Amino acid sequence: MSDILPADYGALLDEVKGRIRAAQYEALRAVNRELIALYWDIGRLIAKRQDAQSWGKSIVRQLAADLRLEFPGVGGFSERNLWYAREFFVTYCDSEKLQPLVAEIGWSHNLIILDKCHDDLQREFYLKMTRRHGWTKNVLAIQIENQTYQKTFANQTNFAQSLPPQLSEHAALAVKDEYTFDFLELADEYSERQLEAAILGKIEPFLREMGGKLAFIGSQYRLEVGDQEYFLDLLLYHRTLRCLVVLELKIGPFLPEYAGKMQFYLAVLNERERQNGENPPIGIILCRAKNQTIVEYALRESNQPIGVATYRLTPDLPQEYKGQLPEPEQIARLLQLLD
């Protein structure tokens, strides 16, 4: 028998390695589901007996001590964690929609959502986004602190009237009201060209902050119309929406004329650059600040899909979004698109 490896051995090795990794991933998922089910059952047993027998805190304290004695070296049976298990069960026991989702993420992720989220719509958003993007617990905590939920549903776009119905809601989820670019190393005063250069130097974290679904095409992308040249600050491609995305960077507040200029760019791209099978291009105007009423008027008559967002360069506490979110029924419908 010859010891010479066949020509397709590399393909065989890659296939076997891929199968092993898939099996490891499924094993980890199975372990996590079983761990979540364990905490669910512990929480259920504690909650039911508390309701039926008026258990006090001392019973849970004793239970934790006895479990640690019975299972030495096994973590997760502290008194605090048992109380978390009870809260976990009580929070989700009446929600058939959210119960399957909690098993798709880790226990530590669930605890962060349990601690920091206060209604089922918000919990559903972060459960689905953690599952979709594979957020670490630190990233999840930062996303909640930065009010990603509020910024996603309080965004200002005209997508509802400028895009086909089957596309408009998906596009609305692709634009936040505010972005945090704390990874950019910029002085207190900077120009739009310096802002663009800083973004290009940190393109990977920039694209992650923009939602993780954008691919970079070019900067100062040239359009020629008649005998005039025009240059787009950033041209991207949204892999899920299957469309071009124009980003215009502004270092000051939003001005109404920005919408007119963006409408022109999108019209040209739609006619000259859009490929077969692609959806209409969308535009995002990123400004340091905006007045919501001015944005509403500027976008109202536009027939091109445009969103206006703000950005900040420091992780200061974000603005309050209370009263700016859509009705709960609309948020619930949009959340179905994250499945």
Side-chain angles (χ1 to χ4, degrees), residues 45-56 59:
L45 292 170
I46 293 174
K48 296 296 185 184
R49 281 168 171 75
Q50 278 189 320
D51 291 342
Q53 303 173 22
S54 301
W55 274 11
I59 302 297

Side-chain angles (χ1 to χ4, degrees), residues 92-106:
Y92 294 110
C93 63
D94 294 326
S95 178
E96 294 183 3
K97 178 188 288 187
L98 300 188
Q99 286 177 28
L101 296 176
V102 299
E104 297 295 322
I105 67 173

Side-chain angles (χ1 to χ4, degrees), residues 316-332:
D316 297 331
L317 289 176
Q319 68 187 71
E320 178 59 55
Y321 282 91
K322 186 176 181 180
Q324 299 181 29
L325 297 180
E327 292 299 318
E329 294 78 10
Q330 183 180 352
I331 293 178

Side-chain angles (χ1 to χ4, degrees), residues 13 33 52 59-60 141 157-158 173 187 197 206 240 245 268 285 310 325:
L13 178 61
R33 284 194 296 267
I59 302 297
V60 175
T157 74
N158 66 349
L173 288 174
F206 173 77
T240 302
V245 178
V268 175
I285 304 170
T310 59
L325 297 180

Side-chain angles (χ1 to χ4, degrees), residues 59-105:
I59 302 297
V60 175
R61 186 179 306 118
Q62 184 63 48
L63 178 62
D66 289 337
L67 289 175
R68 290 198 300 270
L69 186 64
E70 179 68 22
F71 302 100
V74 178
F77 298 134
S78 67
E79 180 182 356
R80 181 183 181 188
N81 214 41
L82 295 188
W83 283 115
Y84 270 131
R86 178 197 174 279
E87 184 183 356
F88 180 65
F89 171 78
V90 171
T91 299
Y92 294 110
C93 63
D94 294 326
S95 178
E96 294 183 3
K97 178 188 288 187
L98 300 188
Q99 286 177 28
L101 296 176
V102 299
E104 297 295 322
I105 67 173

